[in-house]
Amino acid sequence: MHYLLTGTAGFIGFHLARRLLEEGHRVTGFDGMTPYYNLRLKEARHAALAQFPAFRPVIGMLEDQRVLESTLEQGVPDVIIHLAAQAGVRYSLENPKAYLDSNLVGSWNVLELAKNAGVSHLMLASTSSVYGANDKIPFGESDKADEPLTFYAASKKAMELMAHSYSHLYRLPTTAFRFFTVYGPWGRPDMALFKFVKAMLEDEEIEIYGEGLMSRDFTYIDDLVSGIIALSRIAPNESNRVTAAGVCDTLSHQAPFRVVNIGGGQPVGLMDFVKTIEKVLGKPARRKMLPMQQGDVPRTYASPDLLMALTGRKPEIGLEEGVSAFIDWYVDHRAALQL
């Protein structure tokens, strides 16, 4: 199949593109190469993908509709997977316009592209942040998600709503998948695991927010990629509406549109996360305890029931295995990429 992926120089987009290429698919990768973090890391990801003859990169910003439309010059893709976004919860407090431009205007351009191309399935990367500080746990896809705590979360929820309208108006099969604290090799430098490992190897303090009382439903990157690919084969329609007892399907009654969590439903306390890193590295962390930052949520906790009902699987790679894989990658690449 031919996949169009946005964000292939990003953490998740790189891993997804590589898996699809390894499986023999053709991938057109669109990325803006923005300097939000270390460009060497982004360039190295694209260089690794360029080793596959079936990979075609297109460099441009989502806001530039003309450049985005150029991705169709070598054929209409079967599936579009929209991963590119301005990421980062805390950065949205400093530069909200970046989220408006990329996550709203850019995502609308992707909707227009998918509509005009008539693709068989559009997939959109959303986030657990849309649940805000929801008191009900685990977070189910049909739970209340209209009290975002950051503009990042608001932009992602708005993207979901825009996509539902396009799905209804143009009968565009669309899946929005919400992921939960993704980590692993080639990860983002602004994420906790990357920051903690870097600081510990350099004998610096690690900053632990929320006095260490927060918890996260960590998802290893390989599990997330497997979930995305499995869902890509299940374009929403009435024939695959889930009717299993105890599972609430989010398939819209107005459109071929569905929202699905990709998370394992096994939240880990922040201090247990730190202890796991200490165990794998074989050295203690110097801890600096700090209050919760503005926009942070106390916990994330996915219900994987709908994902299980649709695909027969959920994320299962354990934290110690995933942390070990990240540390091995980091040690091997820190010098070359100046991490």
Side-chain angles (χ1 to χ4, degrees), residues 8 17 21 26-30 46 49-58:
T8 43
L21 290 163
R26 184 157 59 101
V27 174
T28 299
F30 185 91
H46 253 201
L49 296 177
Q51 303 305 307
F52 293 88
F55 177 69
R56 172 180 169 246
V58 178

Side-chain angles (χ1 to χ4, degrees), residues 321-337:
E321 180 183 351
V323 167
S324 297
F326 171 81
I327 290 173
D328 288 345
W329 169 82
Y330 182 84
V331 171
D332 287 343
H333 290 81
R334 63 188 301 204
L337 297 179

Side-chain angles (χ1 to χ4, degrees), residues 25 47-48 82 87 122 127 134 150 166 178 270 274 289 294 321 335:
H25 302 289
H82 176 39
L122 170 64
T127 172
N134 203 328
T150 64
Y166 265 61
R178 296 171 176 167
L270 183 52
V274 172
M289 310 303 286
Q294 187 180 16
E321 180 183 351

Side-chain angles (χ1 to χ4, degrees), residues 223-261:
D223 276 332
L224 176 68
V225 166
S226 294
I228 295 170
I229 292 175
L231 288 172
S232 75
R233 298 169 180 148
I234 309 170
N237 60 63
E238 283 297 330
S239 70
N240 54 45
R241 182 180 292 278
V242 175
T243 57
V247 180
C248 182
D249 195 353
T250 57
L251 178 63
S252 171
H253 290 283
Q254 312 300 327
F257 177 92
R258 178 183 275 128
V259 175
V260 186
N261 288 338

Side-chain angles (χ1 to χ4, degrees), residues 99-177:
Y99 296 76
L100 175 68
D101 293 341
S102 180
N103 301 3
L104 292 177
V105 176
S107 293
W108 174 74
N109 284 338
V110 172
L111 292 174
E112 280 284 292
L113 186 76
K115 177 196 76 173
N116 295 334
V119 297
S120 62
H121 195 180
L122 170 64
M123 302 188 71
L124 306 168
S126 189
T127 172
S128 61
S129 295
V130 301
Y131 293 110
N134 203 328
D135 289 332
K136 177 182 173 296
I137 53 173
F139 300 159
E141 293 89 345
S142 60
D143 289 347
K144 185 177 180 180
D146 55 7
E147 294 181 345
L149 300 185
T150 64
F151 192 61
Y152 167 69
S155 70
K156 285 295 192 176
K157 179 63 176 177
M159 179 195 69
E160 292 182 9
L161 296 173
M162 291 192 301
H164 182 275
S165 71
Y166 265 61
S167 179
H168 166 69
L169 292 169
Y170 307 110
R171 311 314 297 173
L172 178 62
T174 304
T175 300
F177 50 94

Side-chain angles (χ1 to χ4, degrees), residues 6-19:
T6 67
T8 43
F11 170 39
I12 296 170
F14 162 70
H15 280 276
L16 178 59
R18 186 170 65 178
R19 177 84 68 84

